[in-house]
Amino acid sequence: MVEHLFRREAGKMVAILAGIFGIEHLNLVEDVVQEALSRALQTWPYYGIPKNPTAWLMQTAKNLAVDLIRREHRFREKQPDIISTLEQWAANPVEGDSRLLESEIADDHLRMMFVCCHPLIPTEAQVALALKTLCGFNVTEISRAFLTTEAATAKRLTRAKQKIREAQIPFEIPTGGELARRLDSVLQSLYLLFNEGYKASSGKKLVREELCHEAIRLTGLLAQHPTGNRPKTHALLALMLLNTARISTREDDEGNLLRLEEQERTQWDQAMIARGMFHLAQSAAGEEITEYHLQAGIAACHDAAKDYESTDWRQILSLYDRLVEFDDSPVVALNRAIAVAKVHGPRAGLETVGAIRDLDTLESYYLLYAVRGEFEMRLNHPEAAAEQFRKSLQLAETKSERMFLSKRLQSCATSEVV
């Protein structure tokens, strides 16, 4: 609960304070917010979580910000105005937040995302900055989302903030065509936020459900806004809902990973599936087809199957064939290989994996070896499968993944497929 609160409130406080101090002082704003969270970690274990933790964090951030402007000469001329604004903001945190809602955007997070996604900032840096600033991601999580190094991610963030200062990018909501052009970057940020929740890049838990629901909340707000109310936004929201509907069955009570064929489908959230199908229908308006449409279609195929044996793998493979036209990344190609194996057999799956372009970029990706291991097991090659599972086990980050791979490795020793 505390982690979820910190992520959500950090983004809110950063957005509000950046508007007050100026986006060019983003580093300073992040320091204030980080200090507020640090004080909560130091205080709450001894005195307990406050009845209104949001108000506590807001008040602490306000006090820190007031102390800061009194120390910093650069804010001397604007000090009275800034203090007045801070006092109005923190007097009643719940009501004060509504004062900052803009007509163009219905949520502080989304407003800040559009600022982060300014065209002067490189695309990869836009997404990294939005994830770091608004979603509480650390450098490690962002680097794994991008399949790049922590050093490269840190450099992107530094350069993005430098560009904001140098170009004097205003903290404002763009209008018209410029706002529409930034929508793709915002959607990508929300997509990566969801993915980090749906399959955490590290830690004890495979699933961080609160991140999935936060991504759904933000995407829903965007879909309700006139600018964001577009087919691709509804498609993204659909794929989030259709996947999240199955999230409670992805692990058993002991935290063991469960594959689709092992999940109890009666526990899937039917109301969420219905919402997902509704937004998938909304996404059909117009003629534009995006990768979000195709991924949502794949998720819908899984959700619509009454049991695993009824899954329409040919339709899923057809959707993947279209998806690689939009995204020819090795990860998408690897997922397509699974569908190929379901339709044409494990040998065809192995051949498809071997033909992946830039396959060497997946050498540190545990799923590459896990998929190969599954194909080898289906071909009754337990020794070859064991070799692949060992490599995958060395690279897996989450506890549930390691437990699952350990069991798969054990099954190779007895030549049993479980």
Side-chain angles (χ1 to χ4, degrees), residues 7 10 30 127-146 153 157 189-197 201 208 211:
R7 282 188 182 273
E30 290 180 332
V127 179
L129 184 63
L131 292 174
K132 172 68 167 62
T133 304
L134 290 170
C135 305
F137 275 35
N138 59 41
V139 172
T140 299
E141 290 169 328
I142 297 172
S143 65
R144 285 176 176 150
F146 283 115
T153 298
L157 291 169
S189 296
L190 293 169
Y191 176 64
L192 289 176
L193 170 61
F194 175 79
N195 281 347
E196 179 61 25
S201 60
R208 297 161 74 174
L211 295 187

Side-chain angles (χ1 to χ4, degrees), residues 235 239 280 283 289-301 315-316 318-327:
L239 82 83
L280 184 59
S283 74
I289 297 293
T290 67
E291 59 185 289
Y292 303 130
H293 286 84
L294 298 170
Q295 292 188 48
I298 292 169
C301 286
Q315 176 64 17
I316 290 174
S318 175
L319 290 167
Y320 269 117
D321 288 341
R322 291 288 309 277
L323 183 58
V324 295
E325 297 176 6
F326 289 86
D327 182 358

Side-chain angles (χ1 to χ4, degrees), residues 94-396:
V94 176
E95 294 180 4
D97 288 346
S98 63
R99 181 184 60 81
L100 297 171
L101 295 180
E102 304 286 347
S103 58
E104 295 87 354
I105 285 293
D107 185 88
D108 290 327
H109 287 71
L110 292 177
R111 181 171 182 263
M112 185 69 176
M113 277 189 176
F114 276 104
V115 172
C116 290
C117 297
H118 194 280
L120 292 177
I121 302 174
T123 301
E124 67 278 5
Q126 291 176 15
V127 179
L129 184 63
L131 292 174
K132 172 68 167 62
T133 304
L134 290 170
C135 305
F137 275 35
N138 59 41
V139 172
T140 299
E141 290 169 328
I142 297 172
S143 65
R144 285 176 176 150
F146 283 115
L147 295 181
T148 187
T149 65
E150 293 184 29
T153 298
K155 187 176 294 184
R156 286 178 183 176
L157 291 169
T158 299
R159 289 177 176 173
K161 293 175 183 178
Q162 182 178 358
K163 176 60 71 174
I164 288 173
R165 292 191 300 271
E166 292 177 349
Q168 297 182 344
I169 294 175
F171 190 80
E172 64 182 13
I173 303 297
T175 58
E178 184 182 357
L179 182 58
R181 285 191 293 272
R182 293 198 214 170
L183 180 59
D184 286 340
S185 293
V186 173
L187 292 176
Q188 187 179 5
S189 296
L190 293 169
Y191 176 64
L192 289 176
L193 170 61
F194 175 79
N195 281 347
E196 179 61 25
Y198 192 71
K199 211 297 295 178
S201 60
S202 62
K204 294 182 180 180
K205 296 178 62 179
L206 173 71
V207 175
R208 297 161 74 174
E209 192 169 351
E210 72 281 0
L211 295 187
C212 293
H213 288 291
E214 180 69 1
I216 289 172
R217 185 185 74 85
L218 294 172
T219 309
L221 287 171
L222 183 60
Q224 293 171 10
H225 187 268
T227 301
N229 183 17
R230 298 191 176 190
K232 56 187 172 185
T233 308
H234 288 283
L236 175 59
L237 184 55
L239 82 83
M240 290 178 178
L241 290 164
L242 293 170
N243 282 303
T244 303
R246 307 191 301 266
I247 208 168
S248 64
T249 64
R250 295 187 66 213
E251 295 178 310
D252 62 19
D253 294 337
E254 298 178 354
N256 296 307
L257 175 64
L258 297 176
R259 295 172 293 180
L260 267 172
E261 58 263 43
E262 299 167 334
Q263 295 176 15
E264 180 52 63
R265 296 183 177 228
T266 60
Q267 296 180 13
W268 288 359
D269 189 330
Q270 295 301 317
M272 189 170 288
I273 290 175
R275 285 181 60 199
M277 293 297 187
F278 169 79
H279 285 286
L280 184 59
Q282 294 290 101
S283 74
E287 299 181 356
E288 182 184 25
I289 297 293
T290 67
E291 59 185 289
Y292 303 130
H293 286 84
L294 298 170
Q295 292 188 48
I298 292 169
C301 286
H302 289 301
D303 287 4
K306 64 179 181 179
D307 51 44
Y308 186 74
E309 291 70 24
S310 303
T311 305
D312 190 347
W313 285 105
R314 292 188 179 277
Q315 176 64 17
I316 290 174
L317 178 57
S318 175
L319 290 167
Y320 269 117
D321 288 341
R322 291 288 309 277
L323 183 58
V324 295
E325 297 176 6
F326 289 86
D327 182 358
D328 62 349
S329 70
V331 172
V332 172
L334 181 63
N335 289 330
R336 177 182 175 275
I338 297 173
V340 169
K342 292 293 184 181
V343 175
H344 301 295
R347 192 174 300 281
L350 278 174
E351 292 173 354
T352 302
V353 171
I356 292 176
R357 185 176 62 85
D358 297 329
L359 183 61
D360 57 334
T361 62
L362 296 180
E363 289 180 353
S364 61
Y365 189 43
Y366 87 100
L367 277 178
L368 169 63
Y369 308 102
V371 169
R372 281 174 168 169
E374 293 295 338
F375 293 164
E376 295 288 4
M377 285 292 282
R378 289 179 58 188
L379 289 169
N380 197 26
H381 299 157
E383 292 184 2
E387 180 182 357
Q388 296 297 319
F389 286 133
R390 288 192 193 97
K391 292 179 180 178
S392 184
L393 184 58
Q394 292 173 353
L395 295 168

